[in-house]
């Protein structure tokens, strides 16, 4: 489904991603872990071209994202993204946040979008907050709305960029529950996270990125039991 | 969020501009003048008894100059249109062929002869000294060492310059001079007889004394663009009017029936009663001022928003354009831009741009230069994540800017936007120089009509203040609405 070939990304002389190649299958749930500043987020943001790769090729369902002729706006409509700091639209109610893109971009009727929005809010446990403005929600609630907002576009792939890092500890659980639920529904997902326990139980595959290199790709069981590289072992020692 | 909100705003704006254009284009342009040719006369209707606005009655421009012009055009078989503007703009209007001729109590001077052709003179005014009763001056000799008020660019100014030992204060308008005299800023005025008589009738504390006619004064004449064939035609009718006595009759009638509003109190005190008959005339100025402010604010905002996007664009020529644009429009006076637009467009594009459209354009263009910076700041202040979230959802650039970024940017800069609107309301008074009948222009006309300087000014000052108050309360409501989401 997602095919990454020789992806590199540099800011001036500083090389953030070094020759990353990998494939993500449909329905695969990938947890991307590694030390901070290792390039995990940059890797994720390259997948919907929020960052423009310096070189390499990314194809999603056969569409080459790095091809200049590709209408990236259309591709992005099929890739949901959840950010560390939520980025809800503060001037819109929760429901308007959810239905904005479907109605304005996909041309879904308002009634249909609202019905679907309600369903999604129910799924993330926030049905009663539809008419609230984001400023009145807690961090965990905001992040659950942000997930629902992405899902409202019916994406084929979901990208999560440290979805729980900005949350108070007691709110992490409610957000992870939603993501876990989504993972078990068969959605293709990549999640950059520092929650090792969550990565272990929810993901099918662990990517370990350090220094801009994809050092390891393995199942959670083998990765957490016996990492192949020295650096991964040292990282696990520090975080577990 | 409603669909196509900006689309609708742009359409409404276009309609407004077209409507404004339609309303204010001299009707001559729209009529196929097949049978009778229309000629346009330029005049500054604030100089009774020569020309003033019948503000109490029909609102038309009346006076001796108008009577003469009508008589001559009738004789020659032309249809007469009158285009009011500021006295200072009359020569420019002739040179840019906005008008075919000018009659506005205009004296023949050597300087003016350089730029326009004059007919034979039709009236030779005599200069008078106007002074306050109790401090009267009866002859030019008594004025030595005194401070004198004269009208800027008038023959009286030229005459006064030749007096020895006097200090001159040259002002644009007669009412301003009267005010200067009342306030003691000058000791006496030198103005022409018919005007002096009008003011002295309306202000009991003013006295006037005739002085001998200045040598070399060629009197009032009709001005034409250089080489205009109309000049000969007009001269032949004028000489006929002189020989058969028509001209003298008109002069007598005009000056004899001079009906200055008699003041029931002393001239020095303030009496708003004199404004009563002019109320509806003055209040109509609110509509003009508001229409103008709305058109220029809307145009300025939309164009300013576009410019701000240019500035943030990654296409270098767009950035350069908007930077140069801002630099030019901020770096030159608004009044200059207004006059340039008004006088240059007819010359360059052969389109006789109506004053209100020219003013809306000039103010919009100018305001956009300032707003583009404000809006750019507002956009930059919106969290970068908003943009990323929009991009990630696959929202196209235009939709994102209009529905996601701009509403938040505007909320940030609302106080600055309100400032700009308030400034526009007040700056709008500049349009009176090109003859748009806004509040200030109307107060000038009423000043001339009532021979009272202070009351009309105070009155429209109060109107401006109320307009701004209403505007700021509306802005507060809007702000509260936008803060709903906090």
């Amino acid at each position: 489904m997602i095919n990454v070939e020789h992806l590199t990304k540099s800011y001036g002389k500083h090389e953030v991603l070094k020759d990353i190649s990998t494939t993500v299958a449909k329905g695969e749930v990938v947890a991307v872990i590694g030390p901070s500043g290792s390039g995990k987020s940059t890797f994720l943001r390259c997948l919907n071209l929020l960052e423009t790769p310096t070189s390499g090729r990314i194809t999603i369902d056969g569409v080459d994202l790095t091809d200049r002729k590709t209408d990236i706006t259309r591709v992005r409509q099929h890739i949901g993204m959840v950010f560390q700091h939520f980025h809800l639209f503060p001037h819109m109610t929760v429901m308007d946040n959810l239905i904005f893109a479907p109605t304005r971009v996909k041309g879904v009727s308002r009634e249909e979008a609202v019905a679907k929005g309600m369903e999604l809010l129910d799924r993330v446990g926030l049905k009663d907050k539809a008419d609230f403005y984001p400023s009145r929600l807690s961090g965990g609630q905001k992040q659950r709305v942000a997930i629902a907002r992405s899902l409202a576009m019916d994406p084929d792939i979901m990208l999560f960029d440290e979805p729980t890092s900005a949350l108070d500890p007691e709110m992490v659980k409610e957000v992870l529950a939603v993501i876990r639920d989504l993972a078990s529904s068969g959605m293709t997902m990549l999640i950059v996270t520092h929650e090792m326990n969550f990565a272990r139980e929810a993901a099918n595959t662990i990517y370990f990125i350090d220094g801009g290199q994809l050092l390891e790709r393995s199942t959670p069981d083998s990765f957490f039991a016996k990492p192949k590289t020295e650096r991964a072992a040292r990282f696990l020692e520090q975080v577990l | 969020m409603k669909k196509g909100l900006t689309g609708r705003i742009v359409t409404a704006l276009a309609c407004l501009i077209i409507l404004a254009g339609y309303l204010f284009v001299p009707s001559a342009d729209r009529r196929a003048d097949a049978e009778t040719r229309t000629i346009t006369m330029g005049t500054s209707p604030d100089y009774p008894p020569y020309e003033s606005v019948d503000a109490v009655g029909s609102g038309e421009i009346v006076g001796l100059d108008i009577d003469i012009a009508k008589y001559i055009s009738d004789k020659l078989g032309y249809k007469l249109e009158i285009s009011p503007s500021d006295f200072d703009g009359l020569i420019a209007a002739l040179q840019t062929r906005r008008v075919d001729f000018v009659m506005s109590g205009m004296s023949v001077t050597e300087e003016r002869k350089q730029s326009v052709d004059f007919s034979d003179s039709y009236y030779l005014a005599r200069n008078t000294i106007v002074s306050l009763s109790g401090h009267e001056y009866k002859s030019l000799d008594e004025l030595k060492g005194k401070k004198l008020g004269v009208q800027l660019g008038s023959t009286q100014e030229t005459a006064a310059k030749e007096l020895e030992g006097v200090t001159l204060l040259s002002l644009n308008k007669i009412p301003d001079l009267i005010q200067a005299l009342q306030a003691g800023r000058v000791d006496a005025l030198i103005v022409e007889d018919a005007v002096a008589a009008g003011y002295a009738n309306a202000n009991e504390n003013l006295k006037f004394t005739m002085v001998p006619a200045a040598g070399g004064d060629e009197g009032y004449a009709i001005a034409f663009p250089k080489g205009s064939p109309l000049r000969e035609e007009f001269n032949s009718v004028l000489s006929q009017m002189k020989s058969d006595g028509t001209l003298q009759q008109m002069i007598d009638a005009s000056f004899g029936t001079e009906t200055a509003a008699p003041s029931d109190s002393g001239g020095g005190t303030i009496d708003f009663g004199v404004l009563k008959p002019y109320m509806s005339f003055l209040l109509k100025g609110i509509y003009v001022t508001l229409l103008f402010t709305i058109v220029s604010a809307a145009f300025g905002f939309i164009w300013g928003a576009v410019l701000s996007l240019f500035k943030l664009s990654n296409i270098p020529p767009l950035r350069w354009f908007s930077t140069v644009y801002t630099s030019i429009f901020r770096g030159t006076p608004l009044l200059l831009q207004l006059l340039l637009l008004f006088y240059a467009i007819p010359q360059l594009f052969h389109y006789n741009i109506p004053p209100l459209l020219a003013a809306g354009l000039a103010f919009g263009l100018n305001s956009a230069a300032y707003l583009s910076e404000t809006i750019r700041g507002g956009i930059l202040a919106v969290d970068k994540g908003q943009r990323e979230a929009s991009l990630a959802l696959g929202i196209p650039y235009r939709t994102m800017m209009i529905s996601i970024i701009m509403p938040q940017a505007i909320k940030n800069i609302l106080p600055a936007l309100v400032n700009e609107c308030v400034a526009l309301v007040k700056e709008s008074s500049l349009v009176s120089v090109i003859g748009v009948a806004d509040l200030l222009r109307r107060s000038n006309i009423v000043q001339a009509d009532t021979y009272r300087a202070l009351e009309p000014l105070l009155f429209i000052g109060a109107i401006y203040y109320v307009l701004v108050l209403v505007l700021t309360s509306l802005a507060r409501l809007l702000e509260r609405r936008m803060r709903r989401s906090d």
Side-chain angles (χ1 to χ4, degrees):
Chain A
M1 178 160 222
I2 305 175
N3 202 21
V4 180
E5 294 164 64
H6 306 295
L7 170 65
T8 68
K9 172 72 187 174
S10 315
Y11 295 110
K13 280 190 175 158
H14 181 57
E15 205 174 26
V16 189
L17 295 180
K18 297 171 187 162
D19 192 22
I20 293 183
S21 297
T22 186
T23 312
V24 179
K26 191 170 164 49
E28 191 173 347
V29 177
V30 178
V32 184
I33 61 176
S36 33
S38 60
K40 312 183 292 290
S41 285
T42 309
F43 169 66
L44 199 73
R45 289 159 60 87
C46 279
L47 296 181
N48 65 353
L49 248 55
L50 281 188
E51 302 287 349
T52 315
T54 308
S55 68
R57 241 162 72 103
I58 300 169
T59 48
I60 292 179
D61 282 335
V63 180
D64 185 355
L65 300 202
T66 45
D67 185 347
R68 291 183 65 96
K69 280 182 298 227
T70 303
D71 181 1
I72 187 63
T73 303
R74 284 197 80 84
V75 176
R76 283 177 181 144
Q77 288 165 16
H78 301 283
I79 309 174
M81 185 162 201
V82 174
F83 300 86
Q84 182 177 352
H85 293 288
F86 335 125
H87 302 327
L88 293 177
F89 304 135
H91 59 303
M92 296 182 191
T93 62
V94 165
M95 183 52 81
D96 284 336
N97 264 279
L98 260 60
I99 67 172
F100 182 82
T103 53
R104 296 292 294 275
V105 179
K106 276 172 101 181
V108 177
S109 77
R110 201 188 147 81
E111 297 77 48
E112 208 179 313
V114 168
K116 165 120 201 207
M118 266 319 201
E119 208 177 286
L120 286 168
L121 283 181
D122 193 24
R123 189 162 163 195
V124 300
L126 292 170
K127 212 174 167 181
D128 53 329
K129 303 283 194 251
D131 296 326
F132 281 42
Y133 280 97
S135 55
R136 296 190 48 201
L137 303 181
S138 74
Q141 290 171 330
K142 280 182 194 168
Q143 193 61 297
R144 285 187 278 156
V145 171
I147 294 170
R149 180 176 68 176
S150 288
L151 292 176
M153 284 295 278
D154 270 328
D156 304 321
I157 300 167
M158 283 289 286
L159 307 176
F160 291 86
D161 189 4
E162 306 200 21
T164 56
S165 300
L167 297 179
D168 293 335
E170 73 270 25
M171 290 170 183
V172 171
K173 241 172 116 183
E174 64 190 51
V175 172
L176 290 183
V178 170
I179 300 176
R180 196 177 288 121
D181 170 58
L182 202 57
S184 60
S185 76
M187 173 75 74
T188 311
M189 311 204 299
L190 284 98
I191 308 158
V192 172
T193 185
H194 293 289
E195 302 288 334
M196 294 306 145
N197 289 329
F198 170 74
R200 190 195 318 233
E201 54 190 278
N204 324 119
T205 313
I206 303 289
Y207 284 8
F208 177 72
I209 294 184
D210 191 12
Q213 289 172 297
L214 178 54
L215 290 180
E216 277 194 47
R217 250 184 74 184
S218 46
T219 60
D221 289 342
S222 65
F223 180 79
F224 284 103
K226 196 176 180 340
K228 280 174 269 183
T229 59
E230 173 78 9
R231 271 194 271 181
R234 217 179 315 131
F235 172 74
L236 282 180
E237 240 167 65
Q238 279 165 351
V239 297
L240 290 179
Chain B
M1 291 292 112
K2 279 123 219 139
K3 207 168 169 122
L5 184 61
T6 27
R8 245 177 279 161
I9 292 174
V10 171
T11 317
L13 187 71
C15 289
L16 259 180
I17 290 177
I18 290 165
L19 182 73
Y22 197 72
L23 282 174
F24 290 86
V25 170
S27 47
D29 290 4
R30 276 180 268 132
R31 196 183 308 125
D33 38 10
E35 307 109 45
T36 46
R37 215 194 115 199
T38 300
I39 51 174
T40 309
M41 159 175 164
T43 192
S44 170
D46 49 14
Y47 203 61
Y50 296 95
E51 45 268 319
S52 59
V53 175
D54 181 14
V56 182
S58 59
E60 285 182 11
I61 297 170
V62 295
L64 174 61
D65 285 347
I66 317 302
D67 293 342
I68 297 174
K70 273 190 182 142
Y71 183 87
I72 295 178
S73 359
D74 272 358
K75 280 271 166 188
L76 295 173
Y78 293 126
K79 190 166 179 344
L80 182 68
E81 290 271 346
I82 297 173
S83 155
S85 88
D86 214 53
F87 191 82
D88 296 336
L90 289 174
I91 298 279
L94 270 181
Q95 288 176 325
T96 54
R97 309 274 168 151
R98 283 189 156 272
V99 297
D100 299 302
F101 68 100
V102 161
M103 276 184 92
S104 199
M106 186 179 272
S107 311
V108 179
T109 63
E110 284 308 313
E111 287 96 341
R112 286 180 188 144
K113 276 185 186 167
Q114 310 281 323
S115 353
V116 297
D117 283 347
F118 280 106
S119 70
D120 301 333
S121 78
Y122 57 87
Y123 184 71
L124 186 61
R126 293 183 64 195
N127 292 349
T128 57
I129 302 170
V130 177
S131 47
L132 294 172
S133 55
H135 302 274
E136 286 170 52
Y137 297 94
K138 296 269 187 208
S139 77
L140 290 175
D141 293 336
E142 290 177 38
L143 294 174
K144 269 213 176 97
K146 302 294 175 195
K147 210 165 175 195
L148 279 187
V150 287
Q151 192 176 18
L152 189 69
S154 64
T155 46
Q156 289 80 28
E157 187 186 30
T158 320
K161 273 181 182 157
E162 282 161 19
L163 297 175
E164 271 174 45
V166 298
T167 325
L168 284 190
L169 175 68
S170 301
L171 297 179
N172 245 329
K173 297 193 184 307
I174 300 288
D176 298 343
L177 287 171
I178 301 287
Q179 195 52 40
L181 179 65
Q182 302 272 25
R185 284 164 56 207
V186 293
D187 300 303
L189 310 175
I190 298 188
V191 296
E192 65 147 294
D193 48 0
V195 174
Y199 281 94
N201 284 340
N203 296 267
E204 279 174 13
N205 63 342
L206 296 181
K207 299 290 169 205
F208 68 102
T209 312
M210 300 277 187
V211 299
D217 190 344
E218 296 176 58
Y220 293 160
I222 309 168
F224 301 94
K226 278 271 178 203
S228 167
L230 277 178
R231 178 168 169 260
E232 285 313 310
E233 297 180 35
F234 272 53
N235 268 343
S236 72
V237 182
L238 260 183
S239 70
Q240 169 248 309
M241 290 171 80
K242 280 178 187 166
S243 59
D244 68 9
T246 321
L247 186 61
Q248 195 55 48
Q249 273 174 25
M250 284 185 171
I251 293 170
D252 292 346
S254 199
F255 293 179
T257 60
E258 181 49 38
T259 50
S263 59
D264 29 31
S265 57
T269 57
I270 289 177
D271 172 20
F272 284 102
V274 299
L275 295 181
K276 225 172 177 179
Y278 298 95
M279 228 19 116
S280 78
F281 178 74
L282 281 170
L283 292 177
K284 271 180 210 147
I286 298 179
Y287 165 75
V288 176
T289 292
L290 277 184
L291 174 68
F292 164 79
T293 307
I294 290 167
V295 168
S296 45
F299 174 53
F301 177 75
I302 292 174
W303 179 224
V306 171
L307 282 174
S308 69
L309 293 181
F310 282 6
K311 283 179 184 173
L312 296 169
S313 141
N314 42 22
I315 305 168
L318 290 184
R319 283 205 307 269
W320 299 332
F321 168 77
S322 51
T323 309
V324 171
Y325 179 96
T326 306
S327 156
I328 290 175
F329 275 86
R330 284 203 302 198
T332 54
L334 176 55
L335 186 56
L336 178 106
Q337 292 160 20
L338 175 64
L339 292 173
L340 271 180
L341 258 175
F342 186 58
Y343 292 120
I345 285 185
Q347 256 183 334
L348 296 178
F349 303 104
H350 299 285
Y351 168 59
N352 197 0
I353 188 168
L356 198 76
L357 182 58
L361 209 58
F363 279 67
L365 290 173
N366 182 278
S367 179
Y370 288 90
L371 285 178
S372 68
E373 281 299 294
T374 312
I375 297 172
R376 188 177 70 97
I379 290 175
L380 288 177
V382 174
D383 180 16
K384 249 181 75 186
Q386 292 294 309
R387 190 185 139 81
E388 292 191 345
S390 308
L391 289 179
L393 281 168
I395 297 171
Y397 179 80
R398 226 177 68 107
T399 313
M400 166 178 84
M401 273 308 176
I402 292 170
S403 300
I404 307 289
I405 307 294
M406 277 296 178
Q408 298 183 55
I410 289 170
K411 192 175 142 186
N412 292 340
I413 60 172
L414 199 60
L417 288 182
V418 174
N419 267 348
E420 184 65 25
C421 276
V422 168
L424 268 178
V425 171
K426 291 181 297 173
E427 281 171 359
S428 72
S429 56
L430 283 179
V431 300
S432 59
V433 302
I434 58 171
V436 176
D438 75 323
L439 278 169
L440 186 64
R441 176 85 191 159
R442 281 166 197 261
S443 99
N444 285 339
I445 288 167
V446 172
Q447 278 185 320
D449 246 29
T450 55
Y451 302 100
R452 309 277 301 195
L454 211 51
E455 291 86 348
L457 279 184
L458 286 173
F459 182 67
I460 62 153
I463 294 182
Y464 275 117
Y465 184 67
V466 171
L467 284 183
V468 169
L469 269 190
V470 170
L471 185 72
T472 36
S473 347
L474 285 178
R476 212 166 298 137
L477 276 180
L478 181 67
E479 192 164 359
R480 202 172 307 152
R481 218 186 104 87
M482 291 186 112
R483 297 249 170 257
R484 218 167 36 159
S485 58
D486 287 353

